Amino acid sequence: MKKLFLIALTAMFISCSSDDDSNSSNSSSDVAYFTATVDGASFNYRENNSSSPSHYHSFGYGFNGNGFDKSFYYSAYILPSTTFSYYPSIDVTLHNMFVSTSESAETDAFYGLFNTLPTNYISYDDDSNWVKGISVTYIDQNEVFYTSLAGSQAGSSITFSNPTNGYDGNLQTVTVTGTVNCKLYNSEDVTDYKTVTNGTFKLIFREYY
């Protein structure tokens, strides 16, 4: 049975600082950023080229196994970097982007996968059935896990633009900008949810290794 490893991967990469003023304009010096309003509170995370950025970008990537198939997915996180913990944090994940039994085939296909990115939100069930799509995850200061996978996304939206190819060491990367509005549900109690509005981001996705 196909298993979703993203939750464990998220927990590994994510672990607080107070949110900044999200009205700050985005700058070309920003390596990555995610700005939004989350339940009325400003969320402004950005990594810049300074020696001590207040936030930093991290990669999540992997595949879900089902028989002899592999479904590759890619995540991009923005995390605080000014304390010993990493909450609140937020990520965008691209699910089931490439199905192959070969990691070298994924490497060959990687840049092309970003020519047309999915803009449909998927559910946990969709992911288990190999549906290509996106999710957004937010972990609050109390380490409560909220995700778009756990509930309806009627009226939600996400856009991607300006894909730029690059490298992280020997591994291929693609940097994209975009906008997002969605609902994020407590994975243990879907009556508890947060609304993300006016979201903008610049995120870097890296191939599986």
Side-chain angles (χ1 to χ4, degrees), residues 26-38:
N26 299 320
S27 168
S28 59
S29 66
D30 290 326
V31 174
Y33 59 79
F34 197 115
T35 69
T37 300
V38 180

Side-chain angles (χ1 to χ4, degrees), residues 19 22 36-43 194-197:
D19 294 340
S22 67
T37 300
V38 180
D39 269 9
S42 296
F43 189 93
K194 296 183 180 294
T195 302
V196 178
T197 56

Side-chain angles (χ1 to χ4, degrees), residues 77-201:
Y77 304 85
I78 297 290
L79 316 170
S81 62
T82 55
T83 66
F84 291 106
S85 62
Y86 299 123
Y87 304 109
S89 64
I90 201 159
D91 78 70
V92 173
T93 298
L94 311 172
H95 294 256
N96 303 312
M97 290 289 288
F98 184 67
V99 178
S100 174
T101 59
S102 168
E103 292 176 15
S104 61
E106 181 261 349
T107 292
D108 292 340
F110 180 77
Y111 285 141
L113 299 177
F114 289 79
N115 290 337
T116 304
L117 288 172
T119 56
N120 58 301
Y121 287 88
I122 64 171
S123 66
Y124 283 123
D125 287 342
D126 290 331
D127 189 60
S128 295
N129 288 299
W130 303 90
V131 176
K132 184 177 180 179
I134 65 100
S135 70
V136 177
T137 299
Y138 174 78
I139 302 179
D140 72 9
Q141 65 273 17
N142 298 313
E143 302 184 19
V144 178
F145 184 92
Y146 292 85
T147 176
S148 62
L149 291 164
S152 170
Q153 295 302 319
S156 295
S157 64
I158 192 166
T159 66
F160 297 102
S161 60
N162 302 324
T164 303
N165 297 345
Y167 283 91
D168 178 52
N170 293 324
L171 296 175
Q172 300 170 124
T173 64
V174 175
T175 301
V176 297
T177 59
T179 65
V180 60
N181 296 276
C182 64
K183 288 184 178 180
L184 305 177
Y185 298 84
N186 184 329
S187 58
E188 297 183 356
D189 177 9
V190 294
T191 63
D192 174 23
Y193 65 88
K194 296 183 180 294
T195 302
V196 178
T197 56
N198 299 319
T200 64
F201 58 81

Side-chain angles (χ1 to χ4, degrees), residues 44-63:
N44 180 19
Y45 279 15
R46 59 188 67 241
E47 179 184 354
N48 55 39
N49 289 317
S50 70
S51 59
S52 300
S54 61
H55 304 90
Y56 67 93
H57 170 277
S58 184
F59 304 102
Y61 41 82
F63 58 81

